[in-house]
Amino acid sequence: AKEKGKPISIGGRRHSMGGQTFSKDAIFLNMLNFNNVTYNPNTQTVTAQAGATWKKIQEILARHGRSVKVMQSGNIFTVGGSIGVNVHGWQVDSPPIGSTVLKMTVITSDGEIQTISPSLNAELFNAVIGGYGMFAIIVDAELETVPNSLVKFHALFTKADNFHETFEKNISGNP
């Protein structure tokens, strides 16, 4: 890219933000083939390459009775894209996915491969989470996991003028 004077665009499933992250005449990096996923039973963490989908991660974690801590409601997206936009999940009172990232391997604009974390090059780590690929290309990420448990779906309908009271009573006040 530097030799040809072209920008780089990064993509996985290519759904995040409707394609605004693509540049005209850019070199496109399709991350879908970077999809290895490894579970570490000692640390109970999962390391996933940027192109791994949440579906693949879920399938591997389920074998160990584990689940991701935060992810989008759909499992078709990639871990790199999800971190790149710092998605939030459907889990009430949970922060976005960046809160579950323990460390990442990234490639910076000068071609250097770096391991970053909240304590190792924290400024770059914080910029990459939600940075839409502008600060580095995510190669892989190590994420926290939690015990897997079945969740029962329940819907409660209310009028808009009762929403706050209904939410407080049935969601916020419900352990």
Side-chain angles (χ1 to χ4, degrees):
K2 189 177 274 188
E3 282 178 19
K4 296 185 185 253
K6 291 189 171 212
I8 293 174
S9 290
I10 310 160
R13 295 284 302 180
R14 294 178 270 168
H15 290 289
S16 298
M17 295 301 294
Q20 290 94 318
T21 56
F22 296 112
S23 300
K24 184 177 179 170
D25 297 323
I27 294 174
F28 176 68
L29 300 179
N30 182 347
M31 301 302 285
L32 289 177
N33 288 327
F34 293 95
N35 62 10
N36 289 332
V37 177
T38 306
Y39 175 69
N40 184 331
N42 296 324
T43 59
Q44 296 184 322
T45 60
V46 64
T47 300
Q49 288 183 319
T53 63
W54 292 107
K55 179 180 181 185
K56 183 173 184 176
I57 294 166
Q58 286 176 311
E59 288 170 350
I60 289 169
L61 289 178
R63 296 180 206 147
H64 302 279
R66 305 296 292 176
S67 180
V68 292
K69 196 170 183 180
V70 173
M71 65 170 255
Q72 291 162 277
S73 58
N75 68 2
I76 65 166
F77 304 104
T78 61
V79 70
S82 294
I83 294 170
V85 301
N86 198 19
V87 300
H88 59 81
W90 56 267
Q91 302 88 342
V92 176
D93 291 334
S94 288
I97 191 172
S99 67
T100 72
V101 180
L102 300 172
K103 68 179 178 179
M104 293 182 278
T105 306
V106 298
I107 303 173
T108 56
S109 62
D110 59 1
E112 186 179 335
I113 297 173
Q114 293 188 36
T115 299
I116 58 175
S117 73
S119 61
L120 187 63
N121 199 344
E123 186 175 18
L124 180 58
F125 180 83
N126 291 324
V128 169
I129 296 174
Y132 289 87
M134 295 188 314
F135 302 99
I137 298 167
I138 299 169
V139 176
D140 64 29
E142 182 179 356
L143 308 169
E144 292 180 68
T145 69
V146 294
N148 197 5
S149 60
L150 291 176
V151 178
K152 183 178 179 182
F153 176 78
H154 174 74
L156 177 65
F157 297 91
T158 187
K159 295 183 185 229
D161 56 353
N162 294 338
F163 177 78
H164 182 40
E165 178 183 311
T166 303
F167 187 88
E168 289 297 320
K169 177 183 174 189
N170 295 284
I171 304 298
S172 295
N174 183 350

